[in-house]
Amino acid sequence: GAGVSQSPRYKVAKRGQDVALRCDPISGHVSLFWYQQALGQGPEFLTYFQNEAQLDKSGLPSDRFFAERPEGSVSTLKIQRTQQEDSAVYLCASSPFSRTGNSGANVLTFGAGSRLTVL
Amino acid sequence: AQSVSQHNHHVILSEAASLELGCNYSYGGTVNLFWYVQYPGQHLQLLLKYFSGDPLVKGIKGFEAEFIKSKFSFNLRKPSVQWSDTAEYFCAVLNTNAGKSTFGDGTTLTVKP
């Protein structure tokens, strides 16, 4: 597609519910990133895929958070047993970046984000 | 671990005033540097980027930034702001070895007409 598409745009969950957030990156983009943005703060890194391989998941705050990109395109971020502190905007970004590529491919294209509110 | 510090959380200017937003980062290796902007109701988007070469880079809408390696800084400037520049501005540093970008907490710029 023309841009990075995220769904749902808004999600309200009761504490303890599981949620799944979807990201459809720009076609052909190798790298896909998930960030969490709390109110008044910058995006915080969660995890990063290169094609279907999850290269870095050091930012996932707990084992309740799980991300996958099984076919190297669409990615899903799953949060199990949601807590109030999980309330945030979850941003997905993609880039053509590859470790063997050139620096010009490192620009992130962001989606609109999924705003999660846990009650 | 790398970190990014943006010194101003909220800046309020009148139209035609000059702008400088500070950004410092804490990583000594090879980095790519970015400023992203988020206009009200829109996605985060690239404003300008530095990879190598001339440390003074120019972006869209008359913005520029200067990379000063010795100061680990990448400050954003614009000589004369417009009301339409009202937005949130984020500085980001990409660690090319790790492959991921670290963002500052952002600066909200409000330009009064």
Side-chain angles (χ1 to χ4, degrees):
Chain A
V4 177
S5 178
Q6 291 188 247
S7 62
R9 287 292 314 278
Y10 303 93
K11 176 68 178 178
V12 178
K14 292 183 179 179
R15 190 163 55 115
Q17 280 185 332
D18 297 349
V19 300
L21 308 176
R22 175 190 167 102
C23 174
D24 198 343
I26 290 176
S27 178
H29 274 194
V30 170
S31 298
L32 184 146
F33 301 81
W34 284 99
Y35 285 84
Q36 181 190 59
Q37 186 174 20
L39 192 63
Q41 297 184 16
E44 293 281 345
F45 172 81
L46 293 177
T47 187
Y48 155 49
F49 291 85
Q50 195 171 102
N51 297 307
E52 70 278 3
Q54 190 174 21
L55 296 189
D56 188 336
K57 56 181 181 179
S58 62
L60 296 176
S62 77
D63 59 7
R64 296 186 296 104
F65 287 71
F66 172 77
E68 60 183 4
R69 193 186 186 196
E71 297 178 357
S73 56
V74 172
S75 176
T76 304
L77 176 66
K78 297 179 180 177
I79 309 173
Q80 296 176 326
R81 305 181 304 282
T82 52
Q83 303 293 316
Q84 285 188 322
E85 61 263 28
D86 299 335
S87 296
V89 176
Y90 290 86
L91 297 170
C92 177
S94 69
S95 78
F97 175 74
S98 166
R99 289 184 185 274
T100 59
N102 63 53
S103 295
N106 294 348
V107 175
L108 296 176
T109 301
F110 283 89
S114 292
R115 182 179 296 277
L116 172 64
T117 303
V118 182
L119 303 176
Chain B
Q2 62 196 48
S3 65
V4 178
S5 175
Q6 292 185 238
H7 313 303
N8 312 99
H9 192 64
H10 197 172
V11 172
I12 302 173
L13 296 173
S14 297
E15 276 195 313
S18 64
L19 170 72
E20 180 160 3
L21 301 182
C23 173
N24 286 90
Y25 65 94
S26 67
Y27 179 69
T30 301
V31 294
N32 296 166
L33 300 163
F34 307 84
W35 278 95
Y36 288 87
V37 60
Q38 187 166 25
Y39 297 104
Q42 296 187 27
H43 305 184
L44 268 167
Q45 59 187 279
L46 181 72
L47 192 60
L48 49 74
K49 59 187 183 292
Y50 171 81
F51 297 133
S52 63
D54 188 345
L56 184 63
V57 292
K58 295 188 185 299
I60 59 172
K61 302 186 178 184
F63 285 90
E64 63 179 33
E66 184 175 13
F67 170 50
I68 303 180
K69 189 174 181 179
S70 61
K71 295 185 178 180
F72 296 90
S73 71
F74 189 57
N75 292 353
L76 181 70
R77 300 194 293 249
K78 185 171 183 178
S80 175
V81 295
Q82 301 174 313
W83 175 80
S84 59
D85 294 325
T86 294
E88 192 156 17
Y89 293 81
F90 293 93
C91 181
V93 174
L94 171 68
N95 176 334
T96 55
N97 286 329
K100 63 186 181 186
S101 293
T102 300
F103 286 77
D105 278 341
T107 298
T108 301
L109 171 65
T110 301
V111 179
K112 294 182 175 180

